[in-house]
DNA sequence: GCCGTTTTCGGCCCGACTGTTTTCAGTCG
């Protein structure tokens, strides 16, 4: 697992190169770009190196011969000489210090030269003694700003789940709409792209009363304090511990501004480069020709069209090849939430759910679903009240009775979330498994096995012929647990060979598989389901997060079996 | 240091806001 460390080292190298003068700023940029690419890569660079050698590394965008060598050097020796050399000259913890709002490499270096600040502890002491305000280029305000940044640095734990961020953003949008000050309001940024976690919120507003609008957002109940406030841009810290940027633009610029603030950054950089090649300038105000006339801008689709490409859905804008596909008019037609016909991962009070079978089924009816699959835990999950074979039999009887009561309004499918045990066997008898409409299986225990053992364990279960769906394949919990070790190539190949469908678990804390693994699994021609893993009725609304992940993984309706009617669903499950 | 629909050399995205400036550097996204 080298990605995060190498990304960190490359960023620090970039920080130090920035201090070497303008001549090296492009070199610094190259390191930063590579750091970004490597940092957001699912596959480990160590594995890439092992499997494909140095050529596998240079295939990564932004990684050329030199940086590939540096990665190899780190994987093999645990060190990068260039980094060590620079570090002798700049013995400073840039990684932490530059994370503090308002501090970049240059100001950090000034603090080091003037006060010997090497890390956040030194910085805190310097702040306590009010030493910062005297340094050239720093004043009282800077000192306060840095203090606030430092407090925030110690108080937050990184990025927030989309499941928390999106509802917050939607609530703010509703308030702005109700204010009557805005003609248009929309969510942009990584929230619009449905990333699994977001670092801040971006809200774009069209308003003819820009000043009043900025006052309004600065005064929202959700706001803890104001970070910056100008006539068109305001940044606030929200009480939930997330910063939020508000931008006001003219309606002529709405499309290009939405495009720009949706990102991601690399996608935008590529778009601007394409604009330049075509003789245009692209910024958040529009596309401008040589005579500085706006040729597009009010509509986002128009911006893409003007650059000679099809409209790219926000979830795909990650600079993963979508721009090339858009230019060739070969983009996939992404699945939408309206395509979903049922939910196959639902718990009830029979195990650790908080709502009854009836209540969960009624919720499915209210969502307009054609079918719902009930999948409570098996006995190995004793903390969740998992059931044994006998209990499952009476559970199925209850489902039959319920089906009679609800009639044709919905089809209720019998299943279970069956533990794949340590030895690869399943937690129920074959007889019980055969009574199910489909079998949703998952790893919950002994999660610390080696990559090879864990992969063998799951493949053995696949080969039993009783696994229809592998639920939350990596068993990760975002921001809490990394997940089990797996050889994904072998796993996905085996899923394809054995007709096992992979779950995209829509629970916001899981989102498993995530976008990168979906893209990887797709290469093996596997099918997917999106399941909410609901433990109460409200959880069934999590489907949209799973849809977000599926769309980020470029999936179409045909790839997702619960986007099909009951007939095609059962056909896909019964091999 | 990367990269190629003008290229193996010579470019490299672009603008808002702030503080401390006296015209701009630094930071951020």
């Amino acid at each position: 697992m080298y990605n995060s460390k190498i990304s960190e080292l490359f960023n620090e190298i970039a920080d130090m190169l920035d201090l070497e003068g303008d001549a090296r700023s492009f070199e610094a940029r190259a390191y930063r770009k590579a750091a970004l690419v490597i940092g957001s890569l699912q596959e480990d660079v160590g594995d890439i190196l092992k499997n494909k050698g140095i050529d596998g590394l240079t295939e990564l965008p932004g990684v050329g011969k030199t940086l590939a060598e540096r990665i190899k050097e780190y994987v093999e020796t645990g060190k990068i000489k260039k980094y060590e050399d620079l570090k002798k000259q700049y013995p400073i913890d840039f990684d932490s210090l530059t994370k503090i709002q308002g501090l970049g490499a240059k100001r950090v270096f000034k603090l080091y030269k003037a006060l010997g600040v090497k890390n956040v502890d030194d910085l805190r002491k310097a702040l306590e003694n009010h030493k910062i305000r005297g340094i050239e280029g720093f004043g009282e305000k800077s000192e306060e700003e840095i203090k606030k940044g430092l407090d925030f640095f110690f108080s937050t734990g990184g990025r927030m789940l989309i499941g928390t961020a999106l509802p917050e953003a939607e609530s703010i949008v509703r308030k702005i709409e109700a204010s009557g000050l805005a003609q248009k309001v929309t969510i942009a940024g990584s929230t619009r792209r449905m990333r699994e976690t977001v670092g801040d919120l971006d809200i774009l507003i069209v308003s003819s009363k820009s000043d009043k609008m900025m006052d309004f957002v600065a005064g929202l109940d959700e706001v803890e304090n104001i970070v910056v406030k100008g006539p068109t841009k305001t940044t606030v810290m929200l009480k939930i511990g997330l910063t939020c940027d508000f931008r006001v633009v003219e309606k002529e610029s709405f499309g290009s501004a939405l495009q720009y603030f949706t990102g991601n950054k690399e996608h935008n950089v590529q778009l601007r480069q394409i604009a330049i090649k075509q003789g245009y300038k692209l910024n958040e105000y529009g596309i401008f020709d040589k005579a500085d006339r706006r040729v597009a801008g009010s509509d986002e689709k128009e911006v893409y069209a003007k650059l000679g490409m099809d409209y790219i859905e926000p979830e795909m804008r990650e600079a993963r090849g979508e721009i090339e596909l858009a230019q060739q008019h070969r983009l996939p037609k992404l699945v939408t939430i309206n395509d979903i016909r049922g939910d196959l991962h639902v718990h009830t009070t029979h195990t650790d759910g908080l709502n009854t079978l009836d209540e969960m089924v009624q919720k499915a009816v209210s969502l307009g679903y054609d079918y719902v699959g009930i999948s409570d835990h098996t006995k190995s999950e004793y903390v969740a009240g998992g059931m044994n074979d006998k209990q499952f039999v009476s559970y199925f009887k209850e489902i039959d009775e319920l089906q009679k009561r609800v009639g044709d309004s919905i089809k209720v499918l019998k299943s279970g979330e069956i533990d794949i045990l340590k030895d690869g066997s399943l937690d129920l008898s074959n007889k019980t498994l055969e009574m199910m409409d489909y079998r949703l299986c998952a790893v919950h225990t002994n999660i610390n096995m080696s990559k090879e053992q864990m992969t063998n364990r799951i493949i053995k279960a696949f080969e039993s012929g009783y696994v229809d769906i592998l639920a939350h394949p990596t068993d990760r919990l975002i921001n809490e647990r990394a997940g089990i070790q797996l050889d994904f190539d072998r796993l996905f190949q085996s899923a394809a060979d054995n007709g096992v469908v992979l779950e995209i678990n829509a629970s916001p804390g899981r989102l498993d598989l995530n976008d990168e693994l979906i893209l990887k699994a797709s290469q093996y021609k596997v099918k997917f389901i999106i399941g909410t893993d609901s433990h109460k009725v409200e959880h069934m609304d999590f489907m949209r997060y799973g849809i977000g992940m599926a769309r980020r993984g470029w999936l179409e309706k045909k790839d997702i079996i619960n986007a099909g009617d009951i007939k095609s669903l059962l056909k896909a499950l019964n091999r």
Side-chain angles (χ1 to χ4, degrees), chain A residues 491-507:
Chain A
L491 183 79
F492 296 152
Q493 184 61 58
S494 177
D497 293 345
N498 292 288
V500 174
V501 176
L502 300 175
E503 182 183 57
I504 298 167
N505 190 294
S507 177

Side-chain angles (χ1 to χ4, degrees), chain A residues 437-452:
Chain A
D437 291 304
Y438 65 92
R439 293 158 291 257
L440 180 90
C441 302
V443 168
H444 292 108
T445 53
N446 298 102
I447 59 177
N448 292 321
M449 292 166 81
S450 73
K451 186 187 278 191
E452 196 187 356

